[in-house]
Amino acid sequence: MNAEPLFQAEISLEIPFHDLDPAGYVWHGHYAKYLELARCELLKQFNYNYDAMTQSGYMWPVVDLQLRFVRPLRFGDRVKVRASLVEWEYRLRIEYLISSAATGERLTKASTVQVAVSAASGEMCLRSPDILFERLGVPA
Amino acid sequence: MNAEPLFQAEISLEIPFHDLDPAGYVWHGHYAKYLELARCELLKQFNYNYDAMTQSGYMWPVVDLQLRFVRPLRFGDRVKVRASLVEWEYRLRIEYLISSAATGERLTKASTVQVAVSAASGEMCLRSPDILFERLGVPA
Amino acid sequence: MNAEPLFQAEISLEIPFHDLDPAGYVWHGHYAKYLELARCELLKQFNYNYDAMTQSGYMWPVVDLQLRFVRPLRFGDRVKVRASLVEWEYRLRIEYLISSAATGERLTKASTVQVAVSAASGEMCLRSPDILFERLGVPA
Amino acid sequence: MNAEPLFQAEISLEIPFHDLDPAGYVWHGHYAKYLELARCELLKQFNYNYDAMTQSGYMWPVVDLQLRFVRPLRFGDRVKVRASLVEWEYRLRIEYLISSAATGERLTKASTVQVAVSAASGEMCLRSPDILFERLGVPA
């Protein structure tokens, strides 16, 4: 793993009613959407969002998702979701922190791993393709 | 509109926890999924489910959705969803009835309208394409 | 129906990846979320959002939902969702317009109807309760 | 961790259209629903499904979710989801395996952790409450 995140992005969001469960908290499965919103913002930073991925001839499916729920989220809560790119050579590993916009309290920690799959062959790439390094601006 | 449904399908389902809102009822937006499950069962009956649509060179986007919620649905409720094909010449119009599996009580009424769009041209068809009539086994 | 909307609200949103279907368009069932975001903004304007509803002793379930899809929505599209309160005496009827933020083109039209249900008795109110008129600032 | 699962449950499901992403695969966030369907079936086996949890005075929020996606899921795929209860003394730890109904191929591995929270005090229980052991039929 690389020591420092190469790129970082942060989004703000307000918890919507339709994500709540009968206890009045966000149902745990909905968090994957929040992570994705921050991930897309991160990918935009190096011009490699989903549209660009497709155009580059690669899909980047999520192959691993981990979520640790520290504090529940309620209707109307304002939170920040920060996404940090921490690995890229062999796979894209992104770490996430959801925190209270008001107090900064840490509410959720998460990570995703994505690997490159060639759209043409359907084969998984053992190493990230050159296009990623170009976009990141780092040597391959 | 045609008088009698040409095809009809019915599915059974049990209301899952993740569709519930803070009041303990199914959030209204989730019903579109229930309709789709019944619609896919209906489309299977004449071999024209989504995969077959794509292969035939047409997309059939939903252009109209109407839902009337008569009684709420709760966790674990067992319901039947009946889908009836009532129009097909110019558009696919399907009517839905969600009812209690236990009592038969009518819980939700709905309808969807889909129109054919040529995948090649992106143009909406003013009339359903021949492939639909073939599959339905009715004269075009 | 009342001639002019009593209150109106508008939100902006960017279409997220997780709402897309295999054709690359927003799956029709997801629109109910976009309407709700605008509806909540509208309800905030007269201090009667979902939390306030609950505190007032009433639930306001959606009993009718109608959606007409004029143009599809794609990944990253920026849209505006306008919600207009057009009926309130016997039920809350809200009309929605989703339009392109860039061009103003009308993409989706929709409406919802909500009725008051007493949380205590579970009974549907034949007329909107006094609290609604207070919040709206109109004579009951 | 306990060596053998105390309870095990398996459900069958067919991948619905509305869970697909633009690549034609199930979007990763939707898997949480599949796990929940199997988990609810597991909880039913010892009469401690979500309704029973609430009645017992405890909530059991998911505090950890891990998913490893081995093979993608496509429209109409028939899969089995097996849920195994592997820890219960201090927390409910459930492991999941999603496999192809046709070939038995392993498609997804996952786990969830839930802890008991007293509905009255809002406090997290450091140890699973007696009611759980009663339902499981094991000494506390």
Side-chain angles (χ1 to χ4, degrees), chain A:
Chain A
M1 198 206 284
N2 307 285
E4 285 291 306
L6 192 59
F7 283 91
Q8 222 171 38
E10 193 175 76
I11 60 157
S12 295
L13 60 86
E14 188 180 333
I15 300 304
F17 182 79
H18 49 257
D19 284 352
L20 303 178
D21 73 3
Y25 301 128
V26 170
W27 179 70
H28 65 280
H30 290 306
Y31 285 71
K33 299 187 292 185
Y34 307 159
L35 305 186
E36 191 168 85
L37 294 174
R39 181 169 60 250
C40 284
E41 204 59 35
L42 180 71
L43 297 172
K44 272 185 198 172
Q45 290 198 357
F46 47 95
N47 293 312
Y48 203 52
N49 206 344
Y50 286 111
D51 282 343
M53 286 177 173
T54 302
Q55 286 161 24
S56 76
Y58 295 98
M59 297 181 290
W60 289 83
V62 172
V63 296
D64 192 280
L65 168 64
Q66 304 202 5
L67 274 155
R68 182 161 300 184
F69 307 94
V70 182
R71 297 268 174 215
L73 301 178
R74 294 180 184 79
F75 179 50
D77 280 356
R78 291 172 183 277
V79 299
K80 291 182 180 298
V81 188
R82 195 179 68 203
S84 306
L85 179 64
V86 293
E87 289 185 51
W88 54 87
E89 286 185 72
Y90 299 95
R91 52 188 204 162
L92 279 185
R93 184 177 154 82
I94 299 171
E95 292 180 348
Y96 307 84
L97 177 66
I98 304 180
S99 57
S100 163
T103 67
E105 189 183 17
R106 293 169 173 233
L107 306 171
T108 319
K109 296 180 71 172
S111 68
T112 55
V113 174
Q114 293 167 270
V115 292
V117 171
S118 160
S121 70
E123 293 292 313
M124 200 175 81
C125 303
L126 298 180
R127 193 165 179 283
S128 293
D130 289 347
I131 178 72
L132 178 66
F133 295 94
E134 282 175 35
R135 294 296 166 95
L136 292 174
V138 296

Side-chain angles (χ1 to χ4, degrees), chain D residues 23-42:
Chain D
Y25 301 128
V26 170
W27 180 68
H28 66 279
H30 290 306
Y31 285 71
K33 298 187 293 185
Y34 307 159
L35 305 186
E36 190 168 86
L37 293 174
R39 181 169 60 249
C40 284
E41 204 57 35
L42 181 71

Side-chain angles (χ1 to χ4, degrees), chain B residues 48-133:
Chain B
Y48 204 52
N49 206 344
Y50 286 110
D51 282 343
M53 286 177 172
T54 303
Q55 285 160 25
S56 76
Y58 295 97
M59 296 181 291
W60 289 82
V62 172
V63 296
D64 192 281
L65 168 64
Q66 305 203 4
L67 275 155
R68 181 162 300 185
F69 307 95
V70 182
R71 297 268 175 214
L73 300 179
R74 294 179 184 80
F75 179 50
D77 280 356
R78 290 173 183 278
V79 299
K80 291 182 181 298
V81 188
R82 196 178 68 202
S84 306
L85 179 64
V86 295
E87 290 185 49
W88 54 87
E89 288 185 71
Y90 300 95
R91 53 188 203 163
L92 280 185
R93 183 177 156 83
I94 298 171
E95 293 180 348
Y96 306 85
L97 177 67
I98 303 180
S99 58
S100 163
T103 66
E105 189 185 15
R106 294 170 172 230
L107 306 171
T108 319
K109 296 180 72 173
S111 67
T112 55
V113 174
Q114 293 166 269
V115 292
V117 171
S118 162
S121 70
E123 293 292 313
M124 199 174 83
C125 303
L126 297 180
R127 192 164 179 285
S128 294
D130 289 348
I131 178 72
L132 177 67
F133 296 94

